[in-house]
Amino acid sequence: MIECFVFIISPNKISFSKNMKTYRMSILSDPKKLAKARRFVEEISLDAGFKRRDAHLIMLAVDEACTNIIRHSYVGDTSKKINIKVAAKKKKGYNASLTIKIRDYGKKPDVKKISGKKPRKVKPGGLGVYFIRKIMDEVVYNTGVKKGTELTLMKYLLQ
Amino acid sequence: MKIKNELKNNINVVSLSGDVDLSNSPQVRKVFTEILSDKNAQILVNLTDVTYMDSSGLATLIEAMQKAYKNGGSFRLFGVQGAVKNMFEIARLDKVFTFCESFEA
């Protein structure tokens, strides 16, 4: 019998440790590159055991985080770098988790002003951070890094 | 992403397909702005073939809906499903928009 292994998440760096897979990718701060980041996160989420609906939502949270970086940290400059690192922990019969670190090297946000509350009035805009906080279990902005920000998003899968 | 705008029985049917995100939501906004230059514009947005939408796409829909109502027109959505439906549920906007079940409604 011939066994065949197909690795769907091919263009990115992957490393393995016990029960943990770590994936890395970089995109330019160009809105046209957002689809690439979305597919990357969606495939990892599905591979880690999340259902399609949750994988869609995790993908939305990452998309919104990258959109905010493009708009606010790099102020529309499409030539800058966004690094995404995903650590997927998977254990049969137990739970799985995703730790997503999104790193930029642009303008630091004022974390106190990032509320993530749903806007009281229905208005265009202001929903991105609300989506991130609503979807993910933990959201941590680290502006203590030398340049830019490291955003950590955590999502747990309880089986 | 593709945008198709057709006038059917005095209703502007705007059909979107593919992913709607920051890279193309300004194009969608432009189409709505043109339609909304006519007062009382009746708009039906067909989202059947939209595979993904982010908050910039949603913001575009909210803005167009508010302008349409302000001008005395109408703004309805059709075919919300999959990833787009998930986003509407998270945003709890199901009572804000008017949804219709058929193209002719």
Side-chain angles (χ1 to χ4, degrees):
Chain A
M1 186 183 151
I2 300 167
E3 288 188 345
C4 179
F5 297 94
V6 179
F7 228 70
I8 49 170
I9 307 158
S10 54
N12 310 291
K13 292 175 187 171
I14 305 161
S15 59
F16 297 86
S17 66
K18 199 180 178 185
N19 299 325
M20 176 96 88
K21 283 183 193 173
T22 307
Y23 308 81
R24 289 180 178 84
M25 88 171 307
S26 287
I27 59 164
L28 285 176
S29 54
D30 183 338
K32 288 176 186 162
K33 305 293 179 190
L34 288 170
K36 192 179 163 191
R38 288 199 296 271
R39 298 288 97 84
F40 171 71
V41 173
E42 184 186 26
E43 286 181 6
I44 296 167
S45 305
L46 291 169
D47 186 56
F50 286 89
K51 287 182 179 171
R52 190 158 293 278
R53 182 182 185 275
D54 288 329
H56 278 155
L57 293 175
I58 294 165
M59 179 174 94
L60 176 62
V62 171
D63 180 291
E64 297 294 349
C66 293
T67 291
N68 285 343
I69 289 170
I70 293 169
R71 278 179 163 171
H72 306 298
S73 300
Y74 291 136
V75 204
D77 185 338
T78 57
S79 66
K80 303 294 180 184
K81 196 189 261 187
I82 301 172
N83 293 331
I84 304 171
K85 181 180 160 188
V86 186
K89 201 175 177 184
K90 197 176 173 186
K91 202 173 175 184
K92 205 176 177 184
Y94 186 49
N95 56 4
S97 69
L98 285 185
T99 304
I100 305 167
K101 288 185 184 288
I102 305 173
R103 181 81 165 89
D104 72 77
Y105 303 89
K107 203 173 143 190
K108 292 177 191 289
D110 184 348
V111 180
K112 285 177 191 167
K113 287 184 180 172
I114 305 172
S115 75
K117 285 180 184 170
K118 192 181 176 195
R120 284 184 182 177
K121 285 182 182 175
V122 177
K123 57 176 187 178
L127 280 165
V129 180
Y130 168 76
F131 281 151
I132 296 169
R133 292 206 185 272
K134 185 86 182 164
I135 293 163
M136 304 307 288
D137 294 316
E138 287 181 42
V139 179
V140 180
Y141 287 88
N142 179 8
T143 52
V145 288
K146 199 175 176 184
K147 206 175 176 190
T149 306
E150 183 181 69
L151 172 64
T152 304
L153 308 174
M154 297 278 295
K155 185 74 179 172
Y156 304 106
L157 172 68
L158 302 173
Q159 289 175 335
Chain B
M1 197 257 325
K2 286 180 182 169
I3 312 171
K4 198 165 88 178
N5 180 18
E6 299 166 290
L7 195 63
K8 288 182 181 175
N9 302 324
N10 261 346
I11 297 171
N12 289 277
V13 179
V14 180
S15 299
L16 307 177
S17 61
D19 287 7
V20 183
D21 65 8
L22 186 64
S23 70
N24 50 39
S25 56
Q27 282 172 253
V28 182
R29 188 173 185 265
K30 202 177 163 191
V31 169
F32 285 134
T33 304
E34 281 169 17
I35 296 169
L36 289 162
S37 62
D38 287 337
K39 287 210 167 185
N40 307 317
Q42 314 292 309
I43 300 174
L44 176 61
V45 188
N46 179 11
L47 299 173
T48 308
D49 295 324
V50 174
T51 43
Y52 174 82
M53 187 180 281
D54 72 356
S55 68
S56 72
L58 182 59
T60 305
L61 295 180
I62 293 171
E63 188 187 19
M65 175 192 69
Q66 290 178 336
K67 277 186 186 168
Y69 288 155
K70 199 178 169 185
N71 290 347
S74 71
F75 190 92
R76 292 172 297 162
L77 302 180
F78 170 78
V80 176
Q81 43 82 37
V84 181
K85 193 178 177 189
N86 295 341
M87 186 204 57
F88 272 86
E89 284 172 1
I90 286 282
R92 292 183 187 162
L93 288 171
D94 42 327
K95 285 179 184 169
V96 174
F97 285 102
T98 303
F99 299 90
C100 58
E101 289 177 3
S102 77
F103 246 47
E104 290 75 30

